[in-house]
Structures are given as C-alpha cells and as structure tokens.
Amino acid sequence: MPILFNAAAKQFHLSNGSFSYIIRILENLSIGQVYAGAALRPDGNYSLLDPLPFPGFSNNDKAFTRFEYPVNGNGDFRRPAFTVRFPEGLGEGGEALGSTVIEPRYKSHRIYAGKPELSGMPAAYTEKDDEAETLELELLDAASGLKIILFYTMFTQYNCLARRVRFSNGGNKKISLENAMSLSLDLPDSRWNLITLTGAWAREFDIGDAPLRTGFQGIQSSRGISGAQTNPAVILRRPSATENEGEALGASLIYSGNFIADVEVDQWDIARLRIGINPDGFSWELAEGAIFDTPEAILAWSARGLNGLSQVFHELYRNRLARGAWRDAERPVLLNNWEGTYFNFTEKKILEMAASARDLGAELFVLDDGWFGKRDDDHSSLGDWFPHKEKLPEGVAGLAKKVTALGIKFGLWIEPEMVNPDSDLYRAHPDWAIHIPQRQRTEQRNQYVLDMGRPEIVDHLFKVLSAILESAPISYIKWDMNRFITEPYSIALPPRRQGEFFHRYVLGLYDLYTGLTKAFPEILFESCASGGARFDPGLLGFAPQGWLSDDTDAVERLSIQEGASLIYPLSSMGAHVSAIPNHQTSRLTPLPFRAMVSFFGCLGYELDPTKFSAEEREAVKKQIAFYKAHRRTFQYGRFFRLPSPLRGRSNTNGRFAAWMVISDDGAEAIVGVYKILSNPNQRPFRLKLAGLAGNADYQVTVWEEGGYSEEDKNLNCGGRGGDELMQAGLLLECTGHHSPKNGDFFSELFLLRKQGASK
Ligand code: DGJ
C-alpha cells in the first residue's frame, strides 16, 4: 500500500516500495517532517527519526525543528512555506489586525486511491485509480477558520510524490495570502550539491552544481514566465553521486510563471527545500468561503544517480503530464522555414520549400513568423491574426491546402499573448496591453503583452485563433512568446488585488491553452518563448513538445539538450538541423554531426532545403529515413547521459559528449558520441554504457551514413556482452593521428540490437 497511517505513532508513511516519505502529527498537532529517501519497511514506527525540539523555547517545547509546511512567527526563523495576513483582524474587535502569525493544527485526513484533478492548472494525473494513492491532510487555524489542505499523491510506478496545497477560508473575515509554496521539505542534513538550470536567450539550460552552504541559495523568476534565465526545478545530489550511482532528489514545479526554488541551510545543518509561486509581489485575497490552490510540485527521488532521477521525471512527464492524442504518438519530422527565410518569403517560395522537404522525407511543413497582418519584420501586426495578403494571396487556407496537396502536413506559428503598437488590435484596444496608467509602457521586441488575466481578452483570442484553425488543414501550432512582462498591473483589478496580477496571467494563459487544445485535439502544439524561455512542465501539460532554444548550433545544442534532459524527456525537445555557417555562432559543423545531435529529440530541419547540394539531399534523405526507423526509441526510449564535457566529473577532458537511448522493450539501444575539439596523439578512450541487460548479448553496428571511424568500427562491432559494454565499454579514439576522422566535430552513432530480440 503506498500510504499507511500508523494511528499509535500518528505517522503517515507514503511509499511505493522504492521511495519512502514519512511525516508525523507532533504533540502540539503541527506536522513534522520525519524522512524522505530509500524505502523503509511499511510497518515501522520511526519516532527515532523524529525532528528534535527547538532548544530554548520553554513554553513551546512541543515545537520541532523539521516541519512539513512551516509557518513563521512561532520560533521557526527560517523562510516559511506560507504567509497569511489578516487585514480585517480575527474577531469583531479587530483582534490581531494585520498579524501574520497563525497556528495550523492537524484536523483530519483522508487516504484514497487515485489522484484528484487540479482545476485551472496542469498537473500530473492517473488513468486508473490503482496507479497512485493520495493523502489529504487538513490543518486548521482555529482562531481564523483558515483551513490548509496538504495534498500528497504517491505514484506506484514512478518514484515521485506530487504535492500541492489548498487554502480555504472557513472564517468570516477576508484573508490575504502572501506566500504559498507548493512544497517545502526540511531535510535532516545539508551534505548535498544543489543543481540548477540557468541561462539566457540562446544559452538555456546551463547546469550549475555547487555544494550547499549555510544560508540561502536558489533561483527565482519575476519575469512573468519561468524564463530562459531559470528553469523551475532544483536537484540535490549527494556529493559522491554520479550520473548512474548515488542518491539524488529533485523538485520540479508544474507552472509557467514567476516561481522560486530555494534551499536554506540553518544553524543545525537542516536543509529546507522550497518550490512554489514567487512570493515577491504576490498576494491573493481569500474572501470568506474562497479557496486558493497552489500549482503542483513533483518531488522525485533516485538511488541510481542523476540519470535515475531524470528518468523518473521523464517517465512521469511523458506519460502522466503530457496528454491528448499526441502524448504517445510518434512526432512528425518537420521543416520550419524560420532560419531558411526569416520574414522574407512568398507563397511560391514556401511551396518550393515544402515540396523539397517532402522529397527529403519530412512529414510536416511549419510556416513560422510573418504570415499575418502586414508583418514584414518584427515591428508590426502581432494581434492581427489574419493572412498577409501580399505574401499569401489565397490566405492561410489556400496555402495550407496547397501544401497538404503536396503530400506534407501544414503547421503554423502564432504568438497569441502579444500585440504590436502598430497593429489594428492595439489601435482598437490600447487598454488590452498590460500597462500602468500614466506610466511608460516598456517595449521589448517592439511589442506589448496582452493582459491574459482578463477573460474578455482570452475569449477574443480563442475566437480569432479558432477561426484560423477551422479555416485550414492545420496539423501543428508553434505557440511563441517573445518578451517578459514589465509594468505588471491590471486595470481590471482593484488596487488591493494587484498582487494577483501575475498568477491571473498564468491562469488566463492556461485557460486559452485548455480551450484550444480541447477544441482542436488532433493538432500537435509546440510551445516556444524566444526558444526555451518558457520550457516548463506547466506548458508540457498542453504542448507535449517545446522549442528548446533559438541556438541551433549543434555544439551548443549538446549542452542545451543535455541540461534540459535533467528534467525533460526527449519527446518534449524540438531539435532542428540548421544551415552552416550557423546563424547564432557562425560555426561550421558537418551535416552528420548536426543530425546526430538532433536525433536525440523530435527531429526537424530549419533551413532552406532548396539550397542543398545533390550530395546533401541524399545525406538528409538517409538521415530522415534512419530517424523514422528508430524514432520510437529516440523519442520515447530511456535516455542516459554518458560522460559529459559539461561537468568536471567526466573523464573526457571536456572533449566528448555521449548520449544513449534504449527502446522501451530493451531490444535496441543507440549511442551517440560527439567529439567537440580534437587534439593530437589521443589516448584511447573507453565509453562505458549504461542500462543494458548484463546477461544479454548485443549485436553492435555503426550507422554507416554518419561519420564513423573504421578503427572504432572494427574494434567495437559484432557480438558484445551487455556486462562487457557496461563495465569495459566501447573503445574509441584509436584512430591514428593523421586520420581525417580525427578532426573537430566528429561524431559516431552505434546501434545495439539485443540478441534474440524480435525486431
Ligand atoms: C522566436 C522563436 O524562438 C523562433 O524560433 C522564431 O519562431 C521567432 N521567434 C519568430 O519571431
């Protein structure tokens, strides 16, 4: 049973047999955090693991040092999990007016099979009740009537716990919620390294990895979106943990707006991990009888190192967060015209590109920015979602019909949340743009953001976008978002509720996504925000894939895709081959290298295919055919990061990246090896593989259409044992130092087929 209540010990033990999470009702009826880690026996009484009392508080000696959902003002001086204020006081005489001190105490609990829905926000889900069990723990602040309900869902198949919180005002006075974390966890020691994913435009998913120290550390976004600068997740790994061994714990927030994820190490070495909506600038008015739900956070755990932890997130997010017809479907190989033409295209040019893409084997043509209003550059027309008549004389409908008649599907770019000052929409509704009356409206990329917290704006967008989607055979939508939110303010909210602005924006965004994905269930949605500025689990709940970065350089992509893979599955990563010199870095990398990096994700091409030489055309045809033959493995297989150039823990001296993916049934595995810069007189390098069956034999081959070295092929190909491949590895870099294969950006792809497997 995943959740047991031991009434004598007043202990809740949530466990799926691998991962245990234990909390206890303390003597003063607050909730203590007892344990989170490798599974403990279900029937134990773990009072010896109990948190210790705070020293020095003589009349409060039943309060403890590790709390489950801590409040401050009662002797715990760390950052709290939540803060409420009583602007109207508690009683008729205005008692405790303005106070934030409360006493939430255990009231009741419920344990049941399955997982309840979260209204208005994406969340992980179950398809059958036996996939998970849920604990609802109700706390009550008797003086105010505020109920705090902690939700925990333990999944049986995934080593993770979904957590969220509901605040319910059962009193007769307004309450102001000023901080409401989705998850707080007091760990008993601080011997962890904190991993974060940070970056910038075109440099997303940089892996930061540093030991915890006393005090605060963490990340946050205040941009209105999760941001390229910070991704809403943190990982703790034991200092000795590697990619494949050791303990790691991760928290990821299913949310697309301002967030905070931090760790505070206190004087007793207790590490408090929190993740939730960024409290900076946040408040929510909770009228009598009203409720507020936090977004959901996922707490994942693994004893199998960072790869083990990543695989928990990958499987949960791929199978039980993504939804709809595209969740399990093989994603189409696409051609996107953005880097091929930018804004400069005609219908004739698009049809030539689409026909050429079809001949190469692509299945979807995506028309990017520039098809609407009078948009010939980024100065105008966002908001005017009707066809650019000079470029598309027969409109989107005419073009989409012609493209699909060529035998390739048609997809379209949109940026619904935006408006240019130079647009009909802005001229008609200047007040729809987010602004503070009497203050400057900051432009970014010459555009403003619409106030998505206003239902009439969401309704308008739903209508105009539905009209386009109904008018033409459109199979795919790329939903972009190219700026941050400044001057946060809604003219539709009263002054005391302005703290609700950012969260209402996110709820409005989710509302529009919900409406469109429900109305057009057959369309594949891909999210984008200047690349990866909103690549988060919140949007994965609607768009099962996202555009990771505007940086399409294959070397850069090695680190971007690898960083993203700490949390996100390959099926969520749009990965495109682009032209050289690369538009972001001017780097020249070989075509096979570019393809082999993009194979590990949802393959696309982003260039003008009519410009390929005959030789390149043949090579790309073979790339696409190869990818299609192995696409289920690439998109839905179990992914491993092998020794990496990105972190000091590898034995590759920063010269290699290597990735591996294993099909669901274990029948095939594919290993990509990427040399970045070469140096002379190399010593042979053994690349140990992971995740294979040690007692099985594998037939190893190389992909002959890619770059490969005869020496590596001769040494490694043939029948090899799974144990040998994992313990001794592939032997690489035996090429003599005069070999042409010895240069920069050389890559090889090895295919492993399990002997006796049916395919
Ligand atoms: C930013 C995206 O990341 C690009 O791929 C492209 O769609 C442009 N916007 C279009 O303006």
Side-chain angles (χ1 to χ4, degrees):
M1 287 286 283
I3 301 179
L4 289 175
F5 179 57
N6 177 334
K10 293 190 178 154
Q11 166 189 289
F12 297 94
H13 186 166
L14 298 81
S15 180
N16 58 10
S18 306
F19 170 39
S20 278
Y21 189 91
I22 303 175
I23 53 181
R24 184 191 300 285
I25 305 167
L26 301 174
E27 282 175 47
N28 70 352
L29 299 186
S30 59
I31 309 295
Q33 159 59 224
V34 176
Y35 179 81
L40 298 178
R41 282 199 307 230
D43 49 353
N45 174 342
Y46 295 105
S47 54
L48 267 183
L49 303 179
D50 259 1
L52 299 168
F54 280 125
F57 288 88
S58 51
N59 68 342
N60 201 9
D61 58 357
K62 300 295 187 289
F64 285 76
T65 45
R66 284 195 284 129
F67 291 102
E68 185 54 11
Y69 199 63
V71 60
N72 65 2
N74 291 336
D76 179 346
F77 298 104
R78 295 163 291 184
R79 281 185 180 173
F82 72 103
T83 309
V84 295
R85 193 176 291 282
F86 302 103
E88 298 180 343
L90 296 176
E92 293 313 314
E95 296 89 342
L97 195 65
S99 152
T100 60
V101 176
I102 72 164
E103 292 162 359
R105 298 289 182 257
Y106 171 82
K107 179 82 172 49
S108 65
H109 72 268
R110 287 201 309 138
I111 295 172
Y112 50 87
K115 183 173 190 291
E117 277 190 17
L118 171 59
S119 166
M121 279 181 281
Y125 58 90
T126 50
E127 286 194 332
K128 292 192 199 120
D129 276 354
D130 62 5
E131 292 177 10
E133 217 166 64
T134 296
L135 164 67
E136 274 184 36
L137 192 52
E138 185 181 321
L139 313 179
L140 175 69
D141 177 47
S144 67
L146 175 66
K147 285 185 222 157
I148 301 168
I149 302 159
L150 309 178
F151 287 80
Y152 301 83
T153 298
M154 179 59 96
F155 290 87
T156 50
Q157 297 301 318
Y158 310 106
N159 262 358
C160 63
L161 189 65
R163 283 186 58 180
R164 65 183 174 89
V165 180
R166 168 170 291 176
F167 294 84
S168 168
N169 184 356
N172 56 9
K173 293 273 165 64
K174 259 184 216 140
I175 293 176
S176 172
L177 192 56
E178 297 184 348
N179 167 26
M181 288 296 117
S182 298
L183 172 161
S184 175
L185 172 63
D186 282 353
L187 293 161
D189 71 77
S190 65
R191 291 187 310 278
W192 299 94
N193 271 36
L194 174 67
I195 298 182
T196 51
L197 297 169
T198 57
W201 173 77
R203 291 197 268 113
E204 297 87 345
F205 294 105
D206 223 14
I207 301 175
D209 186 336
L212 285 182
R213 53 188 163 70
T214 304
F216 297 116
Q217 42 250 285
I219 51 171
Q220 63 166 13
S221 167
S222 51
R223 295 162 190 269
I225 58 177
S226 42
Q229 290 69 14
T230 50
N231 200 265
V234 283
I235 290 175
L236 294 176
R237 70 167 175 93
R238 289 298 183 188
S240 58
T242 62
E243 288 291 6
N244 293 316
E245 282 162 11
E247 190 180 11
L249 191 109
S252 161
L253 189 67
I254 305 179
Y255 193 60
S256 308
N258 292 346
F259 75 94
I260 192 165
D262 62 11
V263 182
E264 179 176 0
V265 177
D266 74 3
Q267 58 192 327
W268 295 296
D269 247 4
I270 293 170
R272 173 170 293 170
L273 166 67
R274 306 185 312 164
I275 194 164
I277 292 177
N278 192 344
D280 196 6
F282 167 82
S283 66
W284 197 272
E285 185 178 283
L286 219 50
E288 191 185 334
I291 60 167
F292 177 85
D293 283 318
T294 70
E296 182 166 277
I298 301 295
L299 181 70
W301 177 86
S302 175
R304 291 186 297 108
L306 292 172
N307 275 324
L309 186 78
S310 299
Q311 287 161 9
V312 177
F313 282 119
H314 294 176
E315 285 165 26
L316 181 81
Y317 284 173
R318 202 172 59 207
N319 301 328
R320 292 295 179 265
L321 175 60
R323 60 193 73 216
W326 283 99
R327 185 188 72 183
D328 304 324
E330 292 187 9
R331 310 291 167 68
V333 177
L334 63 82
L335 184 114
N336 177 304
N337 73 309
W338 180 242
E339 287 198 12
T341 65
Y342 294 105
F343 293 104
N344 186 16
F345 59 83
T346 58
E347 185 188 79
K348 182 167 171 286
K349 178 71 194 166
I350 292 300
L351 290 171
E352 282 166 11
M353 288 171 81
S356 171
R358 173 210 55 201
D359 293 345
L360 296 170
E363 298 151 313
L364 169 71
F365 178 87
V366 178
L367 180 58
D368 211 281
D369 196 354
W371 60 265
F372 51 91
K374 299 191 174 87
R375 189 145 168 108
D376 293 320
D377 55 35
D378 63 14
H379 282 78
S380 83
S381 304
L382 289 169
D384 297 345
W385 301 112
F386 46 81
H388 188 306
K389 280 291 180 190
E390 279 160 37
K391 287 183 185 170
L392 306 179
E394 293 175 43
V396 172
L399 175 67
K401 278 181 203 139
K402 289 178 198 171
V403 170
T404 45
L406 292 172
I408 182 166
K409 291 193 185 311
F410 181 76
L412 198 63
W413 177 98
I414 54 173
E415 195 178 359
E417 300 149 73
M418 296 296 153
V419 64
N420 284 115
D422 181 6
S423 68
D424 291 352
L425 183 70
Y426 188 75
R427 283 182 280 273
H429 297 286
D431 280 353
W432 283 13
I434 292 168
H435 69 285
I436 305 175
Q438 309 295 322
R439 301 229 181 260
Q440 169 190 286
R441 299 182 181 199
T442 301
E443 287 182 27
Q444 202 184 340
R445 207 193 190 205
N446 315 301
Q447 64 200 52
Y448 300 138
V449 189
L450 295 172
D451 185 352
M452 297 294 287
R454 290 170 63 182
E456 69 273 28
I457 297 178
V458 173
D459 287 349
H460 163 83
L461 291 171
F462 178 77
K463 276 190 205 115
V464 292
L465 295 171
S466 298
I468 301 165
L469 296 177
E470 273 157 12
S471 73
I474 294 172
S475 314
Y476 161 106
I477 283 290
K478 175 177 171 186
W479 183 319
D480 207 346
M481 198 285 185
N482 283 303
R483 62 158 291 175
F484 307 122
I485 296 176
T486 53
E487 292 84 39
Y489 186 87
S490 177
I491 58 167
L493 288 172
R496 64 176 197 284
R497 300 186 72 160
Q498 289 298 329
E500 300 177 15
F501 166 81
F502 277 117
H503 185 56
R504 287 189 181 278
Y505 183 95
V506 178
L507 294 178
L509 168 72
Y510 289 157
D511 196 22
L512 185 58
Y513 251 115
T514 304
L516 289 171
T517 49
K518 281 202 171 134
F520 302 94
E522 71 291 352
I523 292 182
L524 171 60
F525 283 79
E526 175 156 347
S527 73
C528 174
S530 306
R534 202 167 58 185
F535 194 103
D536 58 49
L539 289 194
L540 258 188
F542 302 101
Q545 65 187 60
W547 181 228
L548 271 181
S549 178
D550 275 354
D551 188 347
T552 57
D553 174 76
V555 173
E556 296 284 297
R557 278 277 171 159
L558 283 173
S559 42
I560 293 169
Q561 289 172 218
E562 178 150 328
S565 78
L566 279 172
I567 304 289
Y568 302 99
L570 297 192
S571 60
S572 69
M573 299 184 196
H576 297 179
V577 174
S578 61
I580 52 168
N582 175 265
H583 292 197
Q584 292 79 37
T585 62
S586 301
R587 190 174 283 128
L588 301 166
T589 50
L591 188 52
F593 185 93
R594 282 175 271 155
M596 286 185 211
V597 174
S598 298
F599 284 168
F600 284 79
C602 297
L603 176 66
Y605 289 75
E606 182 160 334
L607 38 68
D608 181 351
T610 65
K611 294 189 175 149
F612 277 140
S613 67
E615 198 187 334
E616 287 170 331
R617 293 191 70 73
E618 282 317 298
V620 170
K621 271 188 197 167
K622 287 176 178 158
Q623 290 170 0
I624 295 179
F626 173 79
Y627 180 79
K628 284 179 180 168
H630 300 278
R631 140 163 74 185
R632 186 145 285 279
T633 303
F634 279 125
Q635 294 178 351
Y636 293 97
R638 198 147 48 99
F639 177 71
F640 291 84
R641 293 171 297 271
L642 298 177
S644 152
L646 307 171
R647 278 154 285 161
R649 286 173 291 124
S650 79
N651 58 351
T652 59
N653 299 326
R655 292 184 301 109
F656 276 106
W659 295 338
M660 176 171 181
V661 68
I662 305 179
S663 63
D664 256 5
D665 60 2
E668 78 168 8
I670 305 169
V671 180
V673 184
Y674 311 89
K675 182 193 292 184
I676 298 173
L677 295 181
S678 74
N679 51 13
N681 197 13
Q682 293 147 352
R683 50 191 176 271
F685 166 58
R686 290 185 189 275
L687 178 70
K688 292 185 183 181
L689 307 188
L692 300 172
N695 56 2
D697 288 326
Y698 293 83
Q699 189 64 31
V700 181
T701 55
V702 289
W703 181 44
E704 305 242 353
E705 306 304 331
Y708 71 94
S709 117
E710 280 296 339
E711 289 85 348
D712 289 353
K713 177 181 166 185
N714 293 339
L715 279 167
N716 293 294
C717 292
R720 307 279 307 277
D723 50 353
E724 181 196 343
L725 287 164
M726 290 191 290
Q727 301 309 328
L730 296 174
L731 184 55
L732 304 174
E733 290 238 301
C734 292
T735 310
H737 64 275
H738 296 304
S739 163
K741 303 289 185 190
N742 194 23
D744 297 343
F745 317 129
F746 172 63
S747 56
E748 294 176 292
L749 209 64
F750 292 89
L751 287 136
L752 280 67
R753 176 142 297 282
K754 199 174 181 182
Q755 300 284 323
S758 51
K759 287 195 279 180

